[in-house]
Amino acid sequence: MSGEQELGITESKEHNPGDWYAEVVQKAKLADYAPMGGFIVTRPRGYALWAAIKDNLDGWFKETGAQNAYFPMFIPEGYLEREKDIVEGFDPEVAWVTHGGYDELEERLAVRPTSESIIAPFMAKWVRSYRDLPLRLNQWNSVVRWEATETKPFFRTKEFLWQEGHTAHASESGAWEEMTLRLDQYQRLYEDVLAIPVLRGRKPEHDKFPGADTTTTVEALMPDGKTVQGGTSHYLGQSFADAFDISFVDEDEDERIAHTTSWGLSWRSIGALIMTHSDDQGLVLPPTVAQEQVVIVPIWQEDTKETVLQYASEIAAELQDAGIRVKLDDRDERNPGFKFNEWELKGVPVRLEIGPNEVDDEEVTVVHRPDGETITDDRGDIVESLRDHLDEVYAKLYAAAEENLEENIREASSRNEILGTIGQHGGYVKAPWCGDEACETEVKEQIHAEVVMVPFDEDEEPIGETCAVCGDEAETTAYFAKSY
C-alpha cells in the first residue's frame, strides 16, 4: 500500500462509526492493539493527549488542596473483603495474582480495579485529629477491570489510565462540597479544554459506585447518539470510613467517624475527544491539547526554495518564541498535497501555507482544520493573528458539539415514546421516572438504553407526575440513552 493510500480514512463516521473510529485511532498514530485481547499500546501522539489532560487537571487539583501519592497496584484479598460492597461490585472484574515466581501466594492479590481498599487503611493510620482533616490524596495510575468484552481503544479497555482522588473530611457538608468541586473540575476540563459541552447530574441508586452514598457524573453526547460517562465524583458517606476505621478526635475530644469521597476521570475522555470532533479526513483536535497547534507547509519551485524556506523559518521561530506549538514541515521527499493530508489526518488545528506569492506580498495563507476555511493574513502581526485563529478553531468545535447536544435532548411521556425516540434518533430522552430499576430494565432489554443520569434537584423541575414506563408516581426526571 502506498503512503498516500495509508493516509486516507476509508470508513464513514456517519455510516460506520465503529470502524471509522478504529481507523482514525490507528492512522493518526494514537494507539495500536496489544497482543492480549482488550489491551492497547498507547503511542506517543496518543499519550501526549493524556499528558495534556493530566497537566490541566493536576494543576487544578493542587490549587484546591489535593496532593499526589502512589499506592501499590496489588491489593490483598483481605483488604478488599473489608468493604463488602466493593467486593460484590467489582468481583467479576478483578484480575487475581496467585503465584510469585514458582511459589503459590498465601493470600491472593487483586490487581486494583480501584484503590479505596488499599488507600483507606492508610488514611486511617494518618488521621488522628480533626487537625489532620481534610486529607486530600490523588494518584495517577492504571487499573484493570477484566470484565470488559466489547473493547474499543480509550473508550473501554481491560487496563486504562486514570486519576483517582480519595479524601476524608470531618463533616458531611465538607465531603459533599469536595464531591461537587471535583465534578466542577471535570466539567471545566470538558468544556474549557476539550471543547465538549456536558450534562451533569447523579447516577440512579442502582448504578452508584459500590458502597457510595451518592455518585455524580458528567455526561457527554457523541455524534452517533451515544453518551459517554465523562467523569464521576462520589460521596461515600461513612461506610468506607467505618469499615477501615478512619476516625478522628474532634475539638470536644470526642471520637468521630470521617466522611469520605472518591473521584476519577480516565482516558475515556480521549475517546470522547476523538469521537466528538474528528471527521472523514481523520483526527480533529482543539488547540488546547494538540501536540502541534500550527503546521507550516512551504510551497516552492527550485528557484524559490531558498527564499520560501527562509521566510517560513522566520515565522516558525517567531511563533515558537511566543509559546505557540509550531511544526515547520520542510521535508524534500513529500509534496505539499501529501503534507496537507498528513497533518489533517493528525488533527493539527491550523495550517499555514507559504509560497513565493506569500513571500512577495508579506502574507500567509491560513487554513482551519475543522472546516477548511482559508484566510489571508499579513505577516506583520502573525503572533496575535494566530492566537485569534486558534481561539476561533476552538469556538467552532465547541459550537458544533453544543449544537449536537441541544438538538438531541428530547422528551417522552410513555415507554413506547422512549423506545421509539431513542431507536430513531439516539441522543438523550428525558422522561418522568418512578426510580424503580425494573422500569429501566424494560427499556434496556428492548434497545440497550439505560438511565445514565438524573438531574440535581435544583437544576430541573420534573417533566411529568407519573412514570413513563409503569404509570406510578414519578420521583424524578430520568435521562435515558445508549452508552459507550
Side-chain angles (χ1 to χ4, degrees), residues 186-199:
Y186 294 155
Q187 181 175 3
R188 179 183 175 188
L189 176 81
Y190 275 90
E191 296 188 343
D192 294 355
V193 178
L194 304 182
I196 303 174
V198 295
L199 299 178

Side-chain angles (χ1 to χ4, degrees), residues 37-349:
F39 293 79
I40 63 171
V41 175
T42 310
R43 300 186 67 173
R45 296 191 75 83
Y47 196 85
L49 294 176
W50 181 240
I53 290 169
K54 179 180 177 180
D55 288 347
N56 280 279
L57 280 178
D58 199 59
W60 301 339
F61 293 162
K62 288 172 180 173
E63 287 171 2
T64 48
Q67 300 181 83
N68 286 333
Y70 190 80
F71 292 81
M73 69 181 297
F74 297 126
I75 302 175
E77 186 171 13
Y79 276 55
L80 276 183
E81 290 177 344
R82 288 173 68 178
E83 219 304 318
K84 63 179 181 64
D85 288 318
I86 281 283
V87 176
E88 294 172 1
F90 285 100
D91 189 55
E93 308 184 17
V94 177
W96 293 99
V97 175
T98 59
H99 289 73
Y102 297 110
D103 300 323
E104 185 173 352
L105 302 179
E106 291 184 8
E107 181 179 18
R108 291 195 302 174
L109 299 176
V111 183
R112 60 181 169 223
T114 181
S115 297
E116 280 78 3
S117 297
I118 190 68
I119 292 178
F122 288 91
M123 297 178 85
K125 181 179 179 181
W126 299 337
V127 171
R128 288 287 176 264
S129 161
Y130 70 93
R131 294 184 181 88
D132 300 322
L133 298 173
L135 176 61
R136 297 182 173 98
L137 302 173
N138 177 67
Q139 67 172 353
W140 296 92
N141 60 318
S142 71
V143 294
V144 172
R145 296 182 182 175
W146 206 265
E147 100 296 355
T149 52
E150 294 184 13
T151 54
K152 183 186 293 289
F154 301 116
F155 274 124
R156 186 175 294 277
T157 49
K158 293 183 186 294
E159 180 189 21
F160 55 87
L161 296 178
W162 78 343
Q163 58 75 213
E164 49 178 315
H166 301 266
T167 70
H169 304 262
S171 66
E172 177 180 349
S173 62
W176 194 269
E177 288 173 5
E178 179 79 17
M179 176 195 72
T180 304
L181 169 65
R182 303 311 168 187
L183 193 69
D184 290 344
Q185 290 175 332
Y186 294 155
Q187 181 175 3
R188 179 183 175 188
L189 176 81
Y190 275 90
E191 296 188 343
D192 294 355
V193 178
L194 304 182
I196 303 174
V198 295
L199 299 178
R200 50 186 280 153
R202 57 182 176 84
K203 289 293 185 181
E205 287 295 307
H206 62 269
D207 197 25
K208 296 185 302 185
F209 179 81
D213 176 276
T214 302
T215 288
T216 62
T217 180
V218 290
E219 298 283 330
L221 184 64
M222 300 294 99
D224 63 356
K226 294 181 182 179
T227 188
V228 171
Q229 179 180 286
T232 52
S233 185
H234 318 280
Y235 168 53
L236 301 177
Q238 294 179 300
S239 60
F240 283 86
D242 193 43
F244 292 95
D245 193 27
I246 307 175
S247 59
F248 64 98
V249 176
D250 68 12
E251 296 178 67
D252 298 323
E253 300 297 320
D254 295 325
E255 186 164 331
R256 295 171 53 194
I257 298 295
H259 296 256
T260 64
T261 77
S262 66
W263 25 279
L265 180 141
S266 78
W267 71 11
R268 184 179 294 171
S269 52
I270 297 176
L273 178 73
I274 299 164
M275 181 65 77
T276 297
H277 300 308
S278 303
D279 58 24
D280 288 351
Q281 281 67 54
L283 185 65
V284 177
L285 295 174
T288 41
V289 298
Q291 191 170 355
E292 303 93 358
Q293 295 171 310
V294 178
V295 62
I296 301 176
V297 178
I299 305 166
W300 68 78
Q301 303 296 330
E302 200 56 44
D303 61 332
T304 58
K305 179 177 180 180
E306 184 176 345
T307 56
V308 167
L309 284 179
Q310 176 67 26
Y311 186 81
S313 298
E314 290 172 358
I315 291 176
E318 189 174 343
L319 295 177
Q320 187 171 349
D321 289 345
I324 294 172
R325 299 188 293 276
V326 59
K327 169 71 175 179
L328 172 60
D329 188 349
D330 57 359
R331 292 175 291 174
D332 265 327
E333 70 275 13
R334 294 298 189 187
N335 63 45
F338 181 93
K339 295 176 184 179
F340 294 166
N341 292 334
E342 181 177 15
W343 293 111
E344 285 181 356
L345 174 62
K346 291 180 176 179
V348 178

Side-chain angles (χ1 to χ4, degrees), residues 207 422 440 443-444 448-453 479-484:
D207 197 25
I422 294 178
E440 180 200 51
V443 175
K444 185 184 293 187
H448 304 292
E450 58 192 341
V451 176
V452 297
M453 186 194 80
Y479 281 68
F480 289 85
K482 294 183 179 182
S483 299
Y484 272 100

Side-chain angles (χ1 to χ4, degrees), residues 1-8 27 334 338:
M1 181 180 288
S2 71
E4 283 78 7
Q5 288 175 314
E6 289 174 3
L7 282 182
K27 289 189 173 180
R334 294 298 189 187
F338 181 93

